[in-house]
Amino acid sequence: MKFAFSLIAFVLVALIVPFFLPAAGKVEGVDPNSNLPWQIETDGQGGSRVFGLQPGSSTLADVRRQLGSEIEVAIVAEPNEIGMLEGYYAQVSLGFVMAKVIVTVDLPADAVSAMRERALKAKHMESTTRKITLHPDDLAAAGSMRIKAISVVPTINLDEATIVQRFGQPDERLVVSEKRVHLLYPTRGLDVVVDTEGKELLQYVAPRDFASLREPLRSLEAGKTAGQ
């Protein structure tokens, strides 16, 4: 399964909890006006920064320092697939926004496969997805590995109007079904998936790597065109 589909399959299992932090300004260590999902900085050279992290450059150790030590690192794989090495937060305060956060590590398939061979155990998640616990040596080494993407699932549903209000008009609006639309912001390295019956998903990559999000959607476009 291609990169964007694998992310969507995993992160849309989010549970519903409050989206806004009650009295966020009073929560110790939380600045309600910083690290918000729409605060994306670009460097004009294909890079970006969001939540204090740089997709394509920051490491898992950087993620831990920035977002907290509660990260769970494991290989997540669909049936009959090698999978991806990911770091997962069940709940993170992004300014005054509450969300689940998944970071995907930039690791080739053969390296993931080798980790799977050394792994200690695997347990099933929803939809038969497997979460594979790393060998302690691999877990220790993972801290120096770079992340290639950050996925955010806000913990309440958002509509398209709210997304546009916060992020601006997208460069491209791609309708893939009656229920799901992708709002694409290539110059910011962002794809926002708006789902009328599920959870919204914000996917961040470095702008220079936006094709990793855009290209897998072409098959959806082709299938939709063929069905018309």
Side-chain angles (χ1 to χ4, degrees), residues 57-68:
S57 298
S58 295
T59 65
L60 272 179
D62 295 327
V63 174
R64 185 184 296 272
R65 283 191 292 269
Q66 187 67 25
L67 300 183

Side-chain angles (χ1 to χ4, degrees), residues 26-47:
K26 298 180 180 179
V27 176
E28 184 178 357
V30 174
D31 180 352
N33 298 311
S34 66
N35 287 337
L36 292 163
W38 48 89
Q39 293 176 338
I40 306 171
E41 301 175 9
T42 57
D43 60 14
Q45 299 179 347

Side-chain angles (χ1 to χ4, degrees), residues 113-131:
S113 180
M115 283 186 170
R116 287 191 62 160
E117 292 180 3
R118 296 188 293 268
L120 300 179
K121 63 179 181 179
K123 62 181 179 180
H124 290 280
M125 302 169 63
E126 295 186 18
S127 303
T128 69
T129 300
R130 301 179 73 202
K131 182 171 66 174

Side-chain angles (χ1 to χ4, degrees), residues 25-98:
K26 298 180 180 179
V27 176
E28 184 178 357
V30 174
D31 180 352
N33 298 311
S34 66
N35 287 337
L36 292 163
W38 48 89
Q39 293 176 338
I40 306 171
E41 301 175 9
T42 57
D43 60 14
Q45 299 179 347
S48 63
R49 179 181 293 272
V50 62
F51 315 125
L53 300 167
Q54 296 175 279
S57 298
S58 295
T59 65
L60 272 179
D62 295 327
V63 174
R64 185 184 296 272
R65 283 191 292 269
Q66 187 67 25
L67 300 183
S69 60
E70 301 83 6
I71 189 171
E72 180 180 357
V73 179
I75 296 170
V76 177
E78 296 292 325
N80 303 316
E81 293 188 357
I82 295 298
M84 296 183 294
L85 181 60
E86 297 180 339
Y88 172 71
Y89 288 94
Q91 183 170 287
V92 173
S93 305
L94 305 174
F96 60 79
V97 175
M98 296 297 292

